[in-house]
């Protein structure tokens, strides 16, 4: 039977406890031996030992493995797409020059480091402990040849990264040239002066846009394809307490960086903003709308992640929930 499954490119998991099971346990892709009643030969031939001899534990292990793998993908998507957004913003920002031909940076080096600190570690680490979604066991098995960075994840990184980067640098142009007079000042990369007031406000706008967009993007990554910004999901925004706390703390620290005197102009080379918050909020709304449209397109164009029918999916979820509940002494209704 194992050979027949292998000829059909199937992945076989074999359970056994006796000496006679050891050849099949060794030949299968995943050999699972019984820990309580299994023989030593069977245990040595297996990759996994079931310590409680409960087959329901296999289901829980698969569920946990899928959760960990999905969370690692979310972790990577948030970190890499955030870095891509900063890279796009800074590279395009090289086109802005003052009257002396010197490049006027849209963000200072220290501001870039602070942005990484606020948007990188806390949201990504919080996604690493995200709970498994109820439909995770409805998804088909993952191909052994596919890694973390699938084509879909790579597409997400490029779309979200370029989207956040382009929207951020667009706000810099809007403040400087759309609503301002385009005066790039003199030596604005070195320090603050009256001639650099507009540049410093534009940097504050970019910093707020980029920081808040990446923080909200962490919520986008909670669901790779499913909608995240409808009313049903907004009510569940606090489910992951660490992610919710990380976004709130990141927002507060972002405001402190922009408005604490001395820290903003002398260290971060930017200035607090006022009416520019309208631009920031509109930009964030546009980013969230684009994110939902992108996920909608993926749901229409990509192969469904769940291959079960509605009835099969309902029975599968009931069976899984009852199996999980039985390990804690109770059954779900």
């Amino acid at each position: 039977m194992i050979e027949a499954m292998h000829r059909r490119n199937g992945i076989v998991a074999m359970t056994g406890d006796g000496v006679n099971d050891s050849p099949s346990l060794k030949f299968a892709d995943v050999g699972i031996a019984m820990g309580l009643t299994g023989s030593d030969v069977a245990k040595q031939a297996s990759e996994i030992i079931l310590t409680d001899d409960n087959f329901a534990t296999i289901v829980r292990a698969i569920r946990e493995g899928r959760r960990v793998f999905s969370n690692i993908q979310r972790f990577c998507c948030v970190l890499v797409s955030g870095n891509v957004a900063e890279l796009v913003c800074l590279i395009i920002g090289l086109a802005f020059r003052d009257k002396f031909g010197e490049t006027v940076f849209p963000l200072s080096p220290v501001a870039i480091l602070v942005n990484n600190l606020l948007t990188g570690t806390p949201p990504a680490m919080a996604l690493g402990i995200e709970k498994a979604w109820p439909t995770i066991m409805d998804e088909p098995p993952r191909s052994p040849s596919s890694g973390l960075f699938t084509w879909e994840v790579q597409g997400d990184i490029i779309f979200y990264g370029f989207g956040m980067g382009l929207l951020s640098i667009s706000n810099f142009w809007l403040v400087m040239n759309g609503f301002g007079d385009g005066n790039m000042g003199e030596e604005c990369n070195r320090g603050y002066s009256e001639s650099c007031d507009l540049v410093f406000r534009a940097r504050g706008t970019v910093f707020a846009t980029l920081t808040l967009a990446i923080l909200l993007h962490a919520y986008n990554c909670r669901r790779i394809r499913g909608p995240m910004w409808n009313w049903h999901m907004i009510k569940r925004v606090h489910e992951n307490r660490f992610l919710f706390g990380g976004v709130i703390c990141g927002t507060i620290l972002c405001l402190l960086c922009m408005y604490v005197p001395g820290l903003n102009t002398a260290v971060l080379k930017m200035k607090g903003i006022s009416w520019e918050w309208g631009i920031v909020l509109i930009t964030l709304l546009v980013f969230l709308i684009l994110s939902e449209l992108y996920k909608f397109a993926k749901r229409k164009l990509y192969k469904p992640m769940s291959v079960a029918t509605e009835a099969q999916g309902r029975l599968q979820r009931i069976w899984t929930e009852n199996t999980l509940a039985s390990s804690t002494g109770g059954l779900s209704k």
Side-chain angles (χ1 to χ4, degrees), residues 128-302:
I129 59 174
E130 180 78 18
K131 294 181 180 180
W133 290 91
T135 58
I136 195 169
M137 293 300 290
D138 298 338
E139 299 175 8
R142 181 176 51 85
S143 172
S145 60
S146 65
L148 285 173
F149 293 95
T150 62
W151 288 110
E152 182 176 359
V153 174
Q154 294 179 39
D156 292 346
I157 291 172
I158 293 174
F159 177 83
Y160 291 124
F162 273 80
M164 291 184 291
L166 291 174
L167 289 173
S168 298
I169 197 63
S170 297
N171 283 355
F172 186 83
W173 180 88
L174 279 175
V175 175
M176 291 297 305
N177 300 92
F179 298 97
D181 56 6
N183 181 20
M184 294 291 178
E186 299 179 7
E187 298 184 346
C188 295
N189 294 333
R190 295 176 176 82
Y192 178 76
S193 63
E194 290 297 330
S195 63
C196 296
D197 184 75
L198 185 61
V199 172
F200 273 52
R201 295 177 71 89
R203 286 175 178 169
T205 306
V206 173
F207 183 80
T209 303
L210 192 58
T211 301
L212 297 179
I214 298 177
L215 289 175
L216 292 176
H217 173 52
Y219 276 101
N220 278 337
C221 293
R222 287 189 69 196
R223 304 185 73 185
I224 300 299
R225 294 188 189 176
M228 192 63 223
W229 299 107
N230 55 26
W231 180 243
H232 174 68
M233 294 305 303
I234 291 176
K235 291 190 296 184
R236 302 171 58 182
V237 74
H238 61 280
E239 276 186 342
N240 189 330
R241 293 178 297 173
F242 294 97
L243 178 59
F244 184 71
V247 171
I248 295 298
C249 292
T251 303
I252 294 174
L253 292 175
C254 172
L255 296 176
L256 291 177
C257 291
M258 295 175 62
Y259 292 103
V260 172
L263 176 63
N264 52 6
T265 55
V267 179
L268 299 175
K269 302 294 188 296
M270 63 182 180
K271 193 176 180 181
I273 58 178
S274 56
W275 59 267
E276 292 90 347
W277 276 112
I279 300 177
V280 174
L281 295 177
I282 292 175
T283 302
L284 295 177
L285 180 61
V286 170
F287 172 67
L288 297 182
I289 293 174
L290 291 177
S291 300
E292 291 299 304
L293 291 176
Y294 173 68
K295 288 184 177 182
F296 177 78
K298 288 204 301 181
R299 292 195 296 272
K300 293 296 183 182
L301 299 177
Y302 283 20

Side-chain angles (χ1 to χ4, degrees), residues 71-132:
N71 288 349
I72 294 175
Q73 281 189 322
R74 297 185 181 104
F75 178 93
C76 295
C77 186
V78 170
L79 284 182
V80 180
S81 57
N83 291 333
V84 170
E86 293 178 356
L87 188 63
V88 170
C89 180
L90 295 175
I91 290 179
I92 298 178
L94 296 175
F96 294 94
R97 298 179 179 274
D98 58 18
K99 61 182 179 181
F100 301 108
E102 294 184 4
T103 299
V104 178
F105 301 141
L107 285 176
S108 67
V110 179
I112 297 170
L113 294 176
V114 172
N115 177 268
N116 277 327
L117 179 65
L118 298 180
T119 62
T121 306
M125 293 296 291
L127 287 174
I129 59 174
E130 180 78 18
K131 294 181 180 180

Side-chain angles (χ1 to χ4, degrees), residues 1-2 12-35 37-48 53 55:
M1 291 177 64
I2 296 175
V12 183
M14 171 72 185
T15 60
D17 57 358
V19 176
N20 60 320
D21 295 324
S22 57
S24 297
L25 292 172
K26 192 69 175 179
F27 189 55
D29 297 283
V30 182
I32 306 173
M34 300 295 108
T37 60
S39 63
D40 292 338
V41 176
K43 294 177 183 178
Q44 292 176 1
S46 303
E47 287 81 13
I48 299 175
D53 286 8
F55 287 101

